[in-house]
Amino acid sequence: MVLCSCMSLTAQTKQEPFGPVPSENQLRWQDMEMYAFIHYSLNTYTDQEWGFGNEDPKLFNPSNLDCRQWARVCKQAGMKGIIFTAKHHCGFCMWPSAYTEYSVKNAPWKNGKGDVVRELADACREEGLKFAVYLSPWDRNHKDYGRPEYVTYFRNQLRELLTQYGDIFEVWFDGANGGDGWYGGANETRKIDRTTYYQWPETYKMIRELQPTCLIWNDGSDRGDLRWVGTEAGNVGETNWSLMPSKGDTPWHMLHYGVENGDVWCPGETNTSIRPGWFYHETENEHVKSLSKLMDTYYKSVGRNSTLLLNFPIAPNGRIHPNDSLRGIAFKKMIDEVFKMNLAEKARLVKEGRTTTIDFGRPTTFNRFLAEEDITQGQRVKKFTLEALVDGKWQPLKDALVEDGKDGLTTIGHRRIICFPTVTATQLRFTITDSKAEPIIKKLGIYLAPELTADIPDSGEKKSSALHIFFSSPTQMMIDWDTDQTLTTFRYLPPQDTKDGIITHYTLWGSTDWTNWTKLASGEFSNIVNNPIWQNITFPATTVRILKLDADRLAAGSRMGYGDIDIK
């Protein structure tokens, strides 16, 4: 039997690292825990998620752009750094790149003399935040995309970002690569082999030479330092190994859960937005994530051996919207409230083998458990149990955020937080039942989180319940009314738990007589598979009696599907 404090659980004998271990850069990054994404580009002014590449730079003319406001809000929201979309898929550069005319240097803002990247980098350092950049490999504007010449252009722009703006803690390369675009006026679809086209090993070498402390985020087969977790919903698997195979493709389960016997350290970064979309849309002002949803996201990211990359979109005036900033600040205050008092610090801890008993000495109420491994020695724990001594009887506890009846008590890594219904007990027993090597636990914590009201769903039935919808073919939806209607917006919610039937490209038609059809709109639902949120199709006010939606392309399957439909 060993008596110990909650801060000194590490084995007394020196142990050798087991398996892959994090680099100093990865350790420093993991300790950041939460940092912000900022999405801002021409998309902000066209009300879309992915620009086509032909949007006019003159649209970029914010009335009150204030990067210091962004930095202050992010800091107050608990973020330790900011990753900025220096160039999104449309190709518009938020800095005056010497290699293209498609940038802020040809926008009205500051008479073409502005540099958003510069202003934000400076603001971050003034607020004590780290700074990083997102540079889209895909460029729907550039005439040479898909050809060897573009790779040189891409690296030249990356070199600008890595040499002109100080220390960069992370470079983020989006996984969306290739498709239709403007491409200098070609207006065509271009496909690339994402595993070979960008010649990532050479690009990585340049990054490491120019920014030795920078981490590389990439979900391709050329393994970066960090990985995507397979979803933009804000959660990683309850089992989450910080290990991956050094080579080969990465199917979804590897991204989401990691690989127990992976041969390189490649931890997961959980990215999600505080709104449904990544870019600002006025229609989403009342759909900022609730406090309870943000806390759920925190527990399913930081609390599952990951970091949280939380997006704050910039409004057209050049500032973070008050709804977003107030919710972000409330989020940080709630985290502080939950973890302000570690009930284990004044308890007696008894360690016997792989079991640690936390004896409070009297009935104590709690609902959160925290454990941390010393990951400098590798990630080791595979499975553990939790039991509470209530009225003299041991009762098992499980993770209430895990579905399908599983207890959810698997990996630990940098930090694991388990949520369960509030219990009053005199002791808590933590037992490691399976591990890859002798466990090294460096911290335990017990907390009482205040109860939060659950998210309130939309009242009433589906919006589509009042519509007469039928399918004339597996890829064509018809909606008809008894009388003519004047419409301006068609809204589509894709299926939520499957890729089957998700419409990625569409054409919308209207008619008053079933014979003569007017094309109202066509295009793509950008990023809909990874972020299956409401999609808006807007068009000039048109009088119709029948709508026809053609699914020109599906993400998977042969029959179009929908979660809901709304028409205005």
Side-chain angles (χ1 to χ4, degrees):
M1 180 177 73
V2 178
L3 296 178
C4 53
S5 74
C6 67
M7 299 299 292
S8 59
L9 293 167
T10 303
Q12 298 299 312
T13 57
K14 178 67 175 177
Q15 296 193 41
E16 293 297 321
F18 182 87
V21 296
S23 66
E24 289 298 320
N25 289 345
Q26 289 169 323
L27 283 171
R28 190 164 46 247
W29 162 87
Q30 189 96 55
D31 285 338
M32 290 176 70
E33 296 190 354
M34 298 197 305
Y35 40 99
F37 232 162
I38 293 240
H39 276 65
Y40 187 39
S41 185
L42 290 179
N43 295 348
T44 306
Y45 301 95
T46 57
D47 200 28
Q48 56 189 355
E49 287 285 293
W50 286 4
F52 191 66
N54 61 351
E55 294 78 16
D56 191 342
K58 291 183 174 59
L59 292 170
F60 190 79
N61 194 21
S63 60
N64 192 22
L65 192 154
D66 187 354
C67 290
R68 282 162 181 78
Q69 187 253 0
W70 309 356
R72 286 193 299 270
V73 168
C74 291
K75 184 175 182 178
Q76 288 177 296
M79 307 294 119
K80 300 297 178 58
I82 293 176
I83 301 179
F84 180 56
T85 52
K87 184 187 79 171
H88 205 255
H89 310 324
C90 69
F92 183 75
C93 297
M94 302 295 281
W95 79 101
S97 174
Y99 299 97
T100 183
E101 296 303 303
Y102 199 52
S103 81
V104 290
K105 68 184 179 184
N106 285 313
W109 177 64
K110 293 194 172 182
N111 296 315
K113 304 298 183 183
D115 184 341
V116 186
V117 178
R118 167 73 60 205
E119 291 193 14
L120 182 55
D122 291 346
C124 283
R125 291 180 180 103
E126 287 178 13
E127 293 294 332
L129 300 176
K130 295 184 179 182
F131 180 64
V133 291
Y134 164 120
L135 183 68
S136 172
W138 184 22
D139 190 318
R140 301 172 97 179
N141 171 269
H142 201 274
K143 63 182 180 60
D144 288 330
Y145 182 78
R147 302 166 183 150
E149 293 83 357
Y150 173 77
V151 178
T152 300
Y153 168 79
F154 175 66
R155 286 187 184 150
N156 283 337
Q157 290 196 318
L158 181 58
R159 182 178 292 273
E160 286 182 314
L161 293 171
L162 297 181
T163 58
Q164 298 179 12
Y165 299 99
D167 291 339
I168 304 294
F169 80 85
E170 184 174 334
V171 175
W172 217 93
F173 296 126
D174 201 300
N177 290 284
D180 55 352
W182 188 68
Y183 303 129
N187 290 309
E188 61 187 19
T189 297
R190 295 183 182 177
K191 302 292 186 181
I192 55 102
D193 182 348
R194 58 182 295 184
T195 63
T196 60
Y197 174 63
Y198 298 105
Q199 304 168 47
W200 287 120
E202 284 300 309
T203 303
Y204 287 5
K205 181 180 178 182
M206 182 183 80
I207 295 170
R208 299 196 193 287
E209 289 175 352
L210 297 176
Q211 291 277 349
T213 62
C214 179
L215 292 168
I216 299 169
W217 186 100
N218 199 348
D219 68 346
S221 58
D222 288 287
R223 197 76 63 233
D225 302 303
L226 313 171
R227 75 176 197 273
W228 185 45
V229 298
T231 178
E232 295 174 357
N235 63 82
V236 70
E238 68 276 6
T239 297
N240 180 23
W241 294 99
S242 293
L243 309 176
M244 292 287 283
S246 56
K247 299 291 183 182
D249 294 332
T250 51
W252 184 85
H253 71 275
M254 285 188 182
L255 295 171
H256 201 59
Y257 299 103
V259 178
E260 179 181 333
N261 296 313
D263 59 346
V264 294
W265 190 272
C266 188
E269 175 188 82
T270 303
N271 63 316
T272 194
S273 182
I274 200 166
R275 289 171 173 243
W278 291 96
F279 285 91
Y280 176 89
H281 307 286
E282 186 177 5
T283 56
E284 295 179 356
N285 284 350
E286 303 307 318
H287 298 283
V288 178
K289 283 184 170 65
S290 68
L291 184 55
S292 59
K293 179 61 178 176
L294 287 172
M295 289 304 299
D296 180 82
T297 298
Y298 178 84
Y299 293 132
K300 291 179 178 178
S301 57
V302 176
R304 289 182 177 175
N305 187 37
S306 177
T307 58
L308 174 58
L309 175 56
L310 181 63
N311 180 63
F312 291 83
I314 304 303
N317 66 353
R319 298 170 67 90
I320 295 176
H321 192 277
N323 290 6
D324 304 56
S325 60
L326 291 173
R327 194 61 50 80
I329 293 168
F331 176 42
K332 171 61 165 59
K333 289 182 177 178
M334 181 53 65
I335 293 173
D336 291 344
E337 178 68 20
V338 171
F339 297 100
K340 69 180 180 181
M341 182 181 296
N342 184 355
L343 299 173
E345 289 183 348
K346 295 183 179 180
R348 187 175 70 117
L349 274 66
V350 180
K351 189 173 185 299
E352 296 180 290
R354 294 190 175 189
T355 297
T356 300
T357 301
I358 303 169
D359 188 347
F360 303 106
R362 57 187 174 84
T364 301
T365 303
F366 53 92
N367 51 24
R368 300 289 183 269
F369 170 83
L370 178 148
E372 296 179 1
E373 286 186 81
D374 181 0
I375 58 174
T376 63
Q377 306 303 302
Q379 188 178 357
R380 303 175 176 221
V381 176
K382 297 170 63 173
K383 184 76 175 175
F384 62 94
T385 62
L386 290 175
E387 301 165 282
L389 187 62
V390 180
D391 296 329
K393 296 181 180 179
W394 288 106
Q395 296 183 2
L397 302 175
K398 68 176 186 177
D399 191 340
L401 302 184
V402 175
E403 300 175 353
D404 302 325
K406 295 184 284 187
D407 63 19
L409 308 183
T410 53
T411 51
I412 293 176
H414 175 260
R415 175 169 295 172
R416 186 62 194 272
I417 301 170
I418 304 299
C419 305
F420 41 85
T422 302
V423 63
T424 299
T426 53
Q427 295 182 25
L428 177 72
R429 190 159 64 189
F430 164 59
T431 303
I432 298 172
T433 58
D434 195 7
S435 67
K436 297 167 64 174
E438 185 62 27
I440 307 178
I441 303 299
K442 70 175 186 179
K443 181 179 179 179
L444 294 179
I446 312 293
Y447 306 90
L448 176 62
E451 297 293 336
L452 283 173
T453 303
D455 294 342
I456 300 173
D458 293 335
S459 60
E461 299 179 344
K462 282 187 175 183
K463 293 176 174 133
S464 59
S465 62
L467 302 174
H468 179 208
I469 299 174
F470 64 96
F471 294 88
S472 55
S473 78
T475 58
Q476 189 174 82
M477 173 190 291
M478 310 289 286
I479 305 170
D480 68 331
W481 289 268
D482 294 332
T483 59
D484 290 351
Q485 310 287 321
T486 301
L487 309 178
T488 61
T489 307
F490 181 94
R491 303 182 71 223
Y492 167 72
L493 181 69
Q496 294 298 290
D497 299 314
T498 177
K499 294 181 180 180
D500 286 348
I502 291 182
I503 302 170
T504 60
H505 293 72
Y506 66 88
T507 304
L508 183 67
W509 308 82
S511 175
T512 58
D513 58 8
W514 292 93
T515 302
N516 300 296
W517 292 92
T518 300
K519 185 187 209 180
L520 302 178
S522 65
E524 67 173 333
F525 293 131
S526 303
N527 202 31
I528 191 172
V529 174
N530 292 327
N531 197 23
I533 63 175
W534 278 102
Q535 309 289 318
N536 294 333
I537 304 174
T538 58
F539 44 87
T542 306
T543 300
V544 302
R545 187 172 294 191
I546 312 103
L547 281 178
K548 177 172 64 176
L549 178 66
D550 285 329
D552 299 328
R553 195 182 307 171
L554 299 175
S558 59
R559 180 179 294 275
M560 67 190 299
Y562 71 99
D564 204 351
I565 297 293
D566 185 29
I567 297 170
K568 297 181 180 179

